[in-house]
């Protein structure tokens, strides 16, 4: 597999490009960059120092990756951006590298990141994630595997979105979204039910979906305080992986975690 570098591209001699990498016109690749085999980079892309990009990725025109974090505390320390394999980054996506808080921003493998998305510093994005157009993430956000975020959503710094969750478009997401659910809203960001269609598409059995739905009925629709609902789930539900994942999500994290609640809360 032969590499193809356009003559107008500016590539640092210290950058390491794998076999078969293609680089389009007027792209700039700075020092201390590694790019995996078979990755395709379109015209007018900037890949700054500290980028570690996997194999088989497709990076479209105008993307700007691994530039300095937009954080007033940043003082030039060496940090990195990691992008996994086979991730698609569409036009004009911007991803900042980390700060000294964690040292890195991480975007996993097999993701689709649509146009004009921004990931702030120290975000951690899982695998098989779909982020629609113009979603904006503050720093330190976390997104679990197979999550979906609808277009034009704003994700507040430090917010966590659990695995298989779905956030609706034009949402103002300032609260954590636990696994397997749908959430949305601008004036009030709230629980909107189970992501049942998404779970079916990913091979969850009807029995597992029913179990997850029953857990959230206790947590969000029983009228119990969240702490009491969590205790009821611990006492009355079997220790199945999905149940434990939900409980772990609510018990983990920091920064005075606040979680979505139902419409009538």
């Amino acid at each position: 597999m032969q590499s193809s570098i356009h003559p107008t591209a500016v590539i640092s001699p210290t950058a390491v490009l794998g076999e078969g990498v293609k680089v389009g016109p007027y792209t700039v690749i700075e020092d201390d960059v590694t790019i995996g085999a078979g990755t395709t980079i379109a015209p007018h892309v900037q890949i700054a120092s500290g980028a570690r990009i996997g194999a088989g990725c497709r990076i479209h025109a105008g993307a700007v990756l691994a530039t300095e974090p937009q954080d007033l505390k940043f003082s030039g320390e060496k940090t990195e951006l990691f992008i996994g394999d086979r991730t698609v980054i569409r036009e004009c996506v911007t991803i900042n590298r980390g700060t000294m808080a964690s040292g890195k921003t991480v975007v996993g493998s097999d993701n689709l990141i649509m146009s004009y998305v921004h990931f702030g510093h120290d975000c951690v994005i899982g695998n098989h994630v779909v982020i629609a157009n113009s979603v904006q993430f503050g720093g330190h956000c976390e997104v679990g595997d197979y999550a979906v975020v609808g277009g034009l959503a704003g994700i507040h710094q430090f917010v966590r979105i659990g695995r298989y969750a779905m956030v609706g478009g034009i949402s103002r997401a300032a609260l954590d979204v636990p696994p397997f659910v749908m959430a949305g809203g601008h004036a009030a960001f709230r629980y909107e039910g189970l992501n049942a269609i998404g779970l079916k598409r990913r091979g969850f059995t009807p029995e597992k979906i029913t179990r997850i739905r029953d857990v959230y009925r206790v947590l969000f629709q029983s009228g119990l305080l969240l702490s009491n609902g969590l205790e009821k789930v611990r006492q009355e539900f079997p220790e199945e992986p999905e149940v434990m994942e939900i409980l772990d999500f609510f018990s983990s994290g920091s920064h005075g975690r606040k979680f979505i609640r139902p419409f009538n809360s």
Side-chain angles (χ1 to χ4, degrees), residues 54-265:
C57 294
R58 289 190 289 138
I59 301 171
H60 288 249
V64 179
L65 308 180
T67 46
E68 289 188 357
Q70 299 172 82
D71 185 333
L72 294 175
K73 300 184 296 299
F74 182 74
S75 58
E77 58 268 21
K78 180 179 172 59
T79 57
E80 295 171 301
L81 163 66
F82 292 89
I83 297 175
D85 299 332
R86 299 173 302 280
T87 282
V88 176
I89 295 175
R90 293 304 304 252
E91 294 82 0
C92 301
V93 168
T94 57
I95 308 177
N96 295 156
R97 63 181 186 265
T99 67
M100 63 185 304
S102 72
K104 60 188 177 182
T105 299
V106 178
V107 178
S109 297
D110 300 294
N111 296 321
L112 172 57
I113 313 301
M114 298 187 196
S115 301
Y116 296 98
V117 168
H118 173 72
F119 291 122
H121 58 85
D122 302 287
C123 287
V124 178
I125 312 301
N127 305 312
H128 303 280
V129 171
V130 177
I131 310 294
N133 299 292
S134 299
V135 177
Q136 306 291 291
F137 285 84
H140 307 277
C141 294
E142 300 177 21
V143 180
D145 297 348
Y146 295 99
V148 176
V149 181
L152 297 169
I155 315 299
H156 194 274
Q157 64 180 357
F158 292 103
V159 160
R160 299 180 300 154
I161 299 171
R163 293 197 318 141
Y164 298 95
M166 184 172 191
V167 173
I170 324 180
S171 292
R172 183 171 63 88
L175 303 170
D176 284 2
V177 181
F180 315 120
V181 306
M182 298 186 297
H186 183 75
F189 183 59
R190 295 169 290 196
Y191 170 73
E192 293 185 338
L194 197 67
N195 184 18
I197 293 175
L199 296 178
K200 289 177 185 176
R201 288 174 175 170
R202 294 299 175 185
F204 282 67
T205 65
E207 293 76 18
K208 285 185 180 292
I209 293 172
T210 296
R211 182 80 71 193
I212 294 167
R213 181 179 283 112
D214 290 343
V215 169
Y216 281 111
R217 281 175 174 160
V218 172
L219 296 180
F220 287 156
Q221 296 170 282
S222 66
L224 294 172
L225 293 173
L226 181 58
S227 57
N228 294 338
L230 290 168
E231 184 58 32
K232 182 178 177 68
V233 170
R234 291 189 189 97
Q235 292 178 358
E236 298 183 6
F237 284 79
E239 294 185 358
E240 296 177 350
E242 293 77 19
V243 175
M244 300 310 297
E245 183 172 347
I246 294 167
L247 292 172
D248 289 344
F249 187 92
F250 281 99
S251 64
S252 62
S254 57
H255 295 278
R257 305 253 58 106
K258 294 183 178 180
F259 304 95
I260 56 168
R261 299 294 287 162
F263 280 99
N264 58 359
S265 292

